[in-house]
Amino acid sequence: MAKFCSKCGNELKEGARFCSVCGNPVKQVQSAQSAATAGTNEERQGVSSQQQGFTAQDMQYQQMAGSAAPVKKNKNLWLLAIPAAILVILLVIFGIKAVLSPAYLKPVKYMEKAFNKQDIDLMKKAVPDEYAEWMTDDIVDYMFDLDSDYKITIKVTDKEKIAKKDLEETLIDDYYVLDSIAEDAKAGYILEAEATLKQDGEKDTQDITLVVVKVDGKWVIVSGL
């Protein structure tokens, strides 16, 4: 597209900076293409600046998240550790209790409480059903023929497990246990114990032997009452 001098009207050569006739400076008009290109570059620079700003901010968030992640993880570990610690404590408590009070001592505790509370029902829990049936009022009165101000304690000092192959014969021949009970017994112990009676400020201790067996899943005293 031809250009003309704004002062004298002379046709200007392409790219001329001054008019060849009058010497008037030629006003440089930026082409539409150049303007578009410049605009595009500016937009690109703006977008680039925004991207750079976003990237820096995003990196900052990532760094903050990265530093916070271990804290959150540790917190979760603590939350998991609390019930685990409680479980360990419960296992220790019940484990120690099981060692200190094995199941075969249960009928001994029943018998001790039965004497102290003069409770026939507790006494019946300590013996097989066949024995409980003959605990009449007369026998109960004889067993509890003590003043109210007393306390009986039974402390097991030694035990001997009866071999399973000898269990039935030992119960019948040595301790005169009923045949029906001896035949059903699955395990047995001979317990050496000290029975102590405290009454009126005095104390009397006697050595006793108790035989306990497991019948129908229940430990009971079959000899020594």
Side-chain angles (χ1 to χ4, degrees), residues 45-64:
Q45 291 177 359
V47 172
S48 176
S49 298
Q50 292 177 359
Q51 289 178 344
Q52 290 177 0
F54 176 78
T55 302
Q57 187 179 24
D58 185 48
M59 289 177 64
Q60 184 179 5
Y61 287 154
Q62 289 179 354
Q63 291 174 355
M64 292 174 62

Side-chain angles (χ1 to χ4, degrees), residues 21-32:
V21 176
C22 66
N24 185 51
V26 178
K27 184 179 180 181
Q28 299 295 324
V29 180
Q30 190 177 26
S31 65

Side-chain angles (χ1 to χ4, degrees), residues 45-182:
Q45 291 177 359
V47 172
S48 176
S49 298
Q50 292 177 359
Q51 289 178 344
Q52 290 177 0
F54 176 78
T55 302
Q57 187 179 24
D58 185 48
M59 289 177 64
Q60 184 179 5
Y61 287 154
Q62 289 179 354
Q63 291 174 355
M64 292 174 62
S67 62
V71 176
K72 183 177 181 181
K73 183 177 180 181
N74 291 337
K75 182 178 180 181
N76 290 337
L77 289 176
W78 275 110
L79 291 176
L80 292 175
I82 292 174
I86 295 174
L87 179 60
V88 170
I89 293 173
L90 291 176
L91 289 175
V92 170
I93 292 175
F94 287 107
I96 293 176
K97 184 177 180 181
V99 172
L100 297 178
S101 302
Y104 60 80
L105 291 182
K106 204 169 192 178
V108 180
K109 294 301 179 182
Y110 279 141
M111 184 173 70
E112 182 182 83
K113 290 181 180 180
F115 278 112
N116 289 323
K117 295 184 178 182
Q118 299 187 6
D119 189 332
I120 187 59
D121 292 329
L122 286 174
M123 182 61 70
K124 289 181 178 181
K125 285 184 177 182
V127 300
D129 294 338
E130 291 88 341
Y131 289 12
E133 292 176 356
W134 52 258
M135 286 187 175
T136 62
D137 292 339
D138 293 338
I139 294 177
V140 171
D141 291 339
Y142 170 76
M143 293 174 65
F144 297 142
D145 187 18
L146 293 168
D147 294 335
S148 58
D149 186 18
Y150 72 90
K151 182 179 181 180
I152 292 177
T153 57
I154 302 174
K155 180 181 179 181
V156 176
T157 57
D158 197 9
K159 69 179 186 297
E160 178 186 352
K161 186 174 183 178
I162 306 174
K164 191 171 183 179
K165 62 183 181 63
D166 301 328
L167 183 58
E168 182 178 347
E169 181 180 354
T170 300
L171 293 176
I172 295 174
D173 294 346
D174 297 345
Y175 297 99
Y176 310 105
V177 177
L178 295 177
D179 291 358
S180 58
I181 298 176

